[in-house]
Amino acid sequence: DLMRQAGVAPWPAGPGIEGLVPGPATRDGVRLAPSQGEDTAQTFELVMAMLGPLFERERVTMGMERFWSPDMMWYGPALIGSTRGLDGFFRDHQTPWMSAFPDWQDALGAPHFADGPYACYAGWPSIRATHAGPFLGLDPTGHTVDIRVMDWWRREDGLLAENWVLLDLPDLFLQLGVDLFARM
């Protein structure tokens, strides 16, 4: 996104809205002390329950409406963009992702943790997959890639309301034979 902001975007814009990604709508993202008890446990359990269908590759909506607020915000990286609601999430990210990387799997048992209404999944790499379908305009290469991802979620009223996704796209594209920095 820094490249996009500097006006030297090395790849066409993605399907979602690209722009400055905001912090939490509740403005409580800076946590100066660990949260205690039930709030943290509820957030962790909700995120783990939501990840199950993703890792099991349940298709169509994956039952995600059980976990997400109807007006949820998904803040994706540059080249993919951000979107509101599950329809936008599936249209702009999840369906294209599953088509491009149908065999993706958790590469290292990436750590998951929660604190109050927030949870995180991170790993460097955290996903291993084969590039088997088009991805952001790049034809399938058949390459096996290790993908660096961090997901942060915020829970509100028992459902996930916001999701920030940090995806190391320069590294992923390099594994697919495209040097985004050289194109800059």
Side-chain angles (χ1 to χ4, degrees), residues 55 57 103-112 121-123 125-128:
F55 289 132
R57 304 223 192 357
D103 66 344
W104 71 274
Q105 59 188 314
D106 190 5
L108 297 173
H112 306 78
Y121 164 93
S126 58
I127 293 174
R128 178 163 287 142

Side-chain angles (χ1 to χ4, degrees), residues 119-143:
C120 180
Y121 164 93
W124 297 91
S126 58
I127 293 174
R128 178 163 287 142
T130 305
H131 181 213
F135 178 67
L136 296 176
L138 186 62
D139 289 333
T141 63
H143 295 174

Side-chain angles (χ1 to χ4, degrees), residues 70-84:
D71 61 349
M72 60 83 89
M73 285 301 303
W74 188 85
Y75 302 113
L79 306 185
I80 297 174
S82 298
T83 189
R84 178 180 297 279

Side-chain angles (χ1 to χ4, degrees), residues 28 58 61 117 130 157:
D28 63 350
E58 291 179 19
T61 66
T130 305
D157 298 328

